[in-house]
Amino acid sequence: IIFLFHFFYFFLFVLFIFFFFFFQAEDGIRDAQESRGLGDVYKRQVSTQSTGIWARAMNSTLETQHEDMIHDAQLDYYGKRLATCSSDRTIKIFLVEGDNPQNQQLHATLKGHNGPVWQVCWAHPKFGSILASCSYDSKVLIWKEAGNGQWQIVYDSGTTHESSVNSIAWAPNECGLALAAGSSDGSVSVIHYKEQVGWVARQRDRAHNMGCNAVSWAPFGAAGAALGGAAPNPKTSVLASAGCDNKVKVWAWDGNDLDGAQFEMPQADTASDATPGHTDWVRDVAYSPALAMLKNVLASGSQDSTVIFWEETRDANQLSYRKICQVGFPAVVWRVSWSTTGLILAVSCADNKVYLLKQSSNDPSSWEIVSQMENAAE
């Protein structure tokens, strides 16, 4: 039964990976026509400009009507709406419920950014229809649906960041309405909503030298809670960030403030000189869902063409990570994304391929490539 359960989720993940993952920004520092500044010297590896979303599972194309390259595409919680963003400085929202392409229609076009929009992110539906976006214009915008296809900006980060905002991520819904952001100015911020006050931003300057490329929240509560025997829920939430300083850092969010770095990878006691951490920019970072793991596992992808798996250990109020596995790839790693169960990791590389990794059945500390998919849309 366990085997059939794992196989079922593996099959679903392969079907839909191209729909919501591959056409997300292939570069962690999502470069467009403009220079990103602050150490951004890498240019896009693929010259083809795509203005449509191709779904391999459905063998159909959604024409977005974007006038420039698409950098991200995200389905909402229920999978009924798709948000896309582009270098044309717009965000488009489509109704995509059902398999019939004729039922897929443009719902709204959002205009508010003054530069390429790198990423979009849906909030949990318990908070209503809320969408966040980040851009080269150094801003984070939070949008809320007002009805009849109309959306309004309820938060504008203004001058909080001094350079391009490269990544955003909503915290687990149990933590409230909180959005993390990483910027090329090297800072990491958390924007959260407080009753009777409104939106408040807390920022940690110089979190990463030369810039922050990605942020990811750890699952709420103790890892492995779904499997029983979990420890009590932690008092703080955990946020990881990836930077141009070749490091992954972990921060604590207590609901009001972002504490200093709780842990930094690599450290002398987590990586030997023979097997160091990343040796180039860390492009992306992602925590595994808590469903299948007894401990939190963090995956980081880098410009050095490797993915490293880090295992978390909590001891009272102390947090630590150890490197358990490093997997090499034939090209630069742009993005990493976990399946819903946390059993499979998808890795998008600069060779236009998506690799699927699974934990070895013989060695739990080893991850191996079990499949790969090529972009056949071009």
Side-chain angles (χ1 to χ4, degrees):
I1 294 176
I2 294 177
F3 172 78
L4 292 177
F5 175 79
H6 288 177
F7 179 79
F8 174 73
Y9 276 101
F10 175 79
F11 178 72
L12 287 180
F13 188 66
V14 171
L15 283 180
F16 288 100
I17 187 64
F18 263 85
F19 189 78
F20 67 90
F21 173 76
F22 187 78
F23 286 100
Q24 291 181 359
E26 297 171 55
D27 42 349
I29 287 281
R30 301 165 186 83
D31 188 67
Q33 288 80 2
E34 294 94 332
S35 169
R36 300 287 289 276
L38 291 176
D40 181 23
V41 297
Y42 292 105
K43 295 300 178 183
R44 186 177 176 86
Q45 302 297 313
V46 182
S47 59
T48 302
Q49 292 194 347
S50 175
T51 57
I53 299 293
W54 177 73
R56 186 172 188 171
M58 299 179 186
N59 194 26
S60 63
T61 300
L62 172 63
E63 178 50 56
T64 66
Q65 302 175 34
H66 278 299
E67 298 175 357
D68 210 329
M69 191 178 301
I70 295 171
H71 295 290
D72 198 12
Q74 292 285 345
L75 288 167
D76 69 358
Y77 182 84
Y78 298 109
K80 295 182 178 181
R81 292 185 294 183
L82 176 72
T84 64
C85 59
S86 166
S87 281
D88 65 8
R89 308 182 181 189
T90 68
I91 299 164
K92 293 182 183 290
I93 298 175
F94 299 86
L95 302 180
V96 294
E97 187 175 4
D99 296 337
N100 188 351
Q102 294 182 349
N103 294 332
Q104 300 168 359
Q105 56 183 320
L106 179 64
H107 176 64
T109 298
L110 313 184
K111 298 180 179 180
H113 285 292
N114 296 316
V117 186
W118 306 128
Q119 197 170 5
V120 288
C121 191
W122 293 94
H124 192 277
K126 68 182 282 187
F127 302 110
S129 294
I130 296 178
L131 180 72
S133 59
C134 63
S135 168
Y136 173 82
D137 63 8
S138 76
K139 290 185 178 183
V140 174
L141 298 182
I142 297 178
W143 310 76
K144 186 172 183 179
E145 188 174 20
N148 298 322
Q150 300 298 312
W151 291 72
Q152 60 185 14
I153 298 173
V154 295
Y155 176 80
D156 184 332
S157 65
T159 58
T160 300
H161 294 284
E162 298 176 355
S163 190
S164 172
V165 180
N166 304 320
S167 179
I168 50 176
W170 288 105
N173 69 87
E174 297 89 346
C175 303
L177 200 53
L179 179 74
S183 171
S184 286
D185 63 13
S187 66
V188 172
S189 65
V190 175
I191 304 157
H192 65 118
Y193 185 81
K194 299 182 68 174
E195 293 290 342
Q196 310 301 325
V197 176
W199 295 96
V200 179
R202 293 289 183 264
Q203 183 169 326
R204 180 62 60 174
D205 293 327
R206 296 183 294 278
H208 290 277
N209 294 330
M210 297 175 62
C212 176
N213 301 332
V215 290
S216 176
W217 292 91
F220 179 78
L227 301 181
N233 289 337
K235 296 180 180 180
T236 60
S237 303
V238 176
L239 172 70
S241 61
C244 298
D245 52 7
N246 309 346
K247 295 179 180 179
V248 176
K249 295 185 179 181
V250 177
W251 313 82
W253 169 253
D254 63 6
N256 291 299
D257 203 1
L258 190 63
D259 296 335
Q262 304 297 296
F263 204 80
E264 183 177 308
M265 293 88 88
Q267 281 194 175
D269 57 349
T270 60
S272 67
D273 293 336
T275 57
H278 290 296
T279 58
D280 209 333
W281 291 11
V282 185
R283 292 286 188 174
D284 201 13
V285 65
Y287 276 100
S288 68
L291 180 62
M293 299 294 182
L294 293 176
K295 294 184 178 180
N296 281 333
V297 174
L298 181 66
S300 57
S302 169
Q303 186 77 20
D304 64 11
S305 303
T306 68
V307 168
I308 296 180
F309 294 87
W310 309 89
E311 185 180 77
E312 177 186 291
T313 299
R314 294 176 185 247
D315 182 10
N317 293 325
Q318 266 193 329
L319 196 66
S320 63
Y321 289 78
R322 71 179 184 91
K323 175 181 172 182
I324 58 175
C325 181
Q326 186 166 7
V327 181
F329 294 86
V332 170
V333 174
W334 293 127
R335 301 295 300 274
V336 291
S337 179
W338 290 93
S339 65
T340 304
T341 61
L343 298 174
I344 300 170
L345 180 74
V347 180
S348 175
C349 294
D351 57 3
N352 291 339
K353 294 180 180 179
V354 173
Y355 299 84
L356 302 182
L357 280 72
K358 192 174 183 180
Q359 196 172 29
S360 173
S361 57
N362 298 324
D363 183 5
S365 65
S366 176
W367 288 74
E368 52 192 24
I369 298 174
V370 295
S371 181
Q372 69 179 50
M373 295 178 288
E374 296 188 30
N375 176 17
E378 300 180 46

